Structures are given as structure tokens and as C-alpha cells.
Amino acid sequence: MKIAAKQFALHGFHDTKISAIVEEANVTQPTFYLYFKSKDAIFQELVDLFKAKLHTRVEQSRLASGIETAGLLQRIANNIALIFQLFQENEQVARIGFFLSEDAVEIKGQMAKKIEANLAAEVENGYFHANVDLSIVASAIVGVIGQLTLTKLWAGLKTPDELSQEVTRLFLYGLIREQ
């Protein structure tokens, strides 16, 4: 699976050949077909694997009730860092699932809906004010995570923790200079 993910991430779906996967994996094509029906099947399995991991991370990022205001910023940053860590630890699969696959738009949409549901619960818990369109905030978070993953995380310019701190400060405090 790792070798297939690497090949798909490097060459895209259409330019990846089963022969290249089996050669690098040091197995025969008949062996490959014992485990996977087709190139489509292994690609879809990789996408589904990433989607499940991402869903779990986003699900776990919902803030529980009763968190002290003083610890709120760090708790949010830690949750965002876990999502960036998923992208860092699973770069090839994340490239496939979040950027290359036909399911990428759907995966991002599902992520945004889950973040929106988390935010709605967090508004109910009194962490955030209710006078903002949570669907826009959720979509913006997904976009920021995607763009920063490509330009900063995978480029080795920032760590998951550094990115999560910046994103958290941006979304919670904006660009206005403190008075």
C-alpha cells in the first residue's frame, strides 16, 4: 500500500502503472491481483483509508464543555496540530485523498460539514459567539489547512505545531493589533 501511495502521489492516477508498483514492491503482478482487483481498487482503498483517518481526527477535535477560557487557545491549537500531523505522517495518502482523487472535493466538503457541526456545538457551549456564518468559517478552515499543508508543511517550512498556533491565532483573534 505504501508503495502504491508513493507511486500515485508522484505520478498521479493515470500515469501510475501496476508494473511500477509491483516492481518496487518486489512482487509479481499475479500477487498484486490476489490483493487488489485493479489499479482503481487500490487507489480507492487508499482514498478511503485517508478519508476515515481524517474523519476521526476532525471528530476528535470537538471541544468538550467546561474548558477554562485560559486553556482554550492551546486546546484548539492542539486539535488543529493533530490534523496537520495526519497530513505530515501520511503525505502520499493525503496527497491522493485530499488533492488528487475525484473524491477530494467531497472529502473537503465532508470535513467542512464536520467542522461546522463541531463549531455549532462549541457555540452552544459558549466558547464562540453566534453571529458568524459557521459554514463559511468551516470552509475557510479547510481551505487554510489544505493550502498551508501544500505550501508550508510539505515544503518543510513549518511544523504542525507552528502552523496550528498561527491558524488558531488568526481565526480567534484576526489581524487586528491588540490595543
Side-chain angles (χ1 to χ4, degrees), residues 40-141:
D40 291 328
I42 192 169
F43 187 82
Q44 192 59 50
E45 190 168 327
L46 289 166
V47 170
D48 291 345
L49 176 68
F50 175 74
K51 187 175 8 178
K53 286 181 178 181
L54 182 61
H55 178 79
T56 299
R57 290 279 169 103
V58 174
E59 181 85 24
Q60 294 169 343
S61 71
R62 180 180 289 182
L63 298 171
S65 60
I67 298 172
E68 295 292 324
T69 304
L72 194 59
L73 180 79
Q74 191 56 48
R75 182 71 64 90
I76 294 168
N78 290 345
N79 289 339
I80 293 173
L82 289 173
I83 294 170
F84 278 120
Q85 286 169 3
L86 174 69
F87 281 85
Q88 184 176 48
E89 294 165 1
N90 301 276
E91 181 176 343
Q92 283 89 14
V93 177
R95 280 186 189 278
I96 293 165
F98 209 70
F99 299 103
L100 299 176
S101 76
E102 291 179 7
D103 295 348
V105 170
E106 178 188 338
I107 290 169
K108 291 174 188 172
Q110 289 172 350
M111 181 181 180
K113 284 186 188 312
K114 186 63 201 155
I115 291 171
E116 182 179 354
N118 287 354
L119 289 169
E122 293 158 357
V123 166
E124 287 288 318
N125 285 331
Y127 296 128
F128 308 120
H129 57 78
N131 62 347
V132 64
D133 185 333
L134 297 178
S135 69
I136 291 174
V137 175
S139 293
I141 290 170

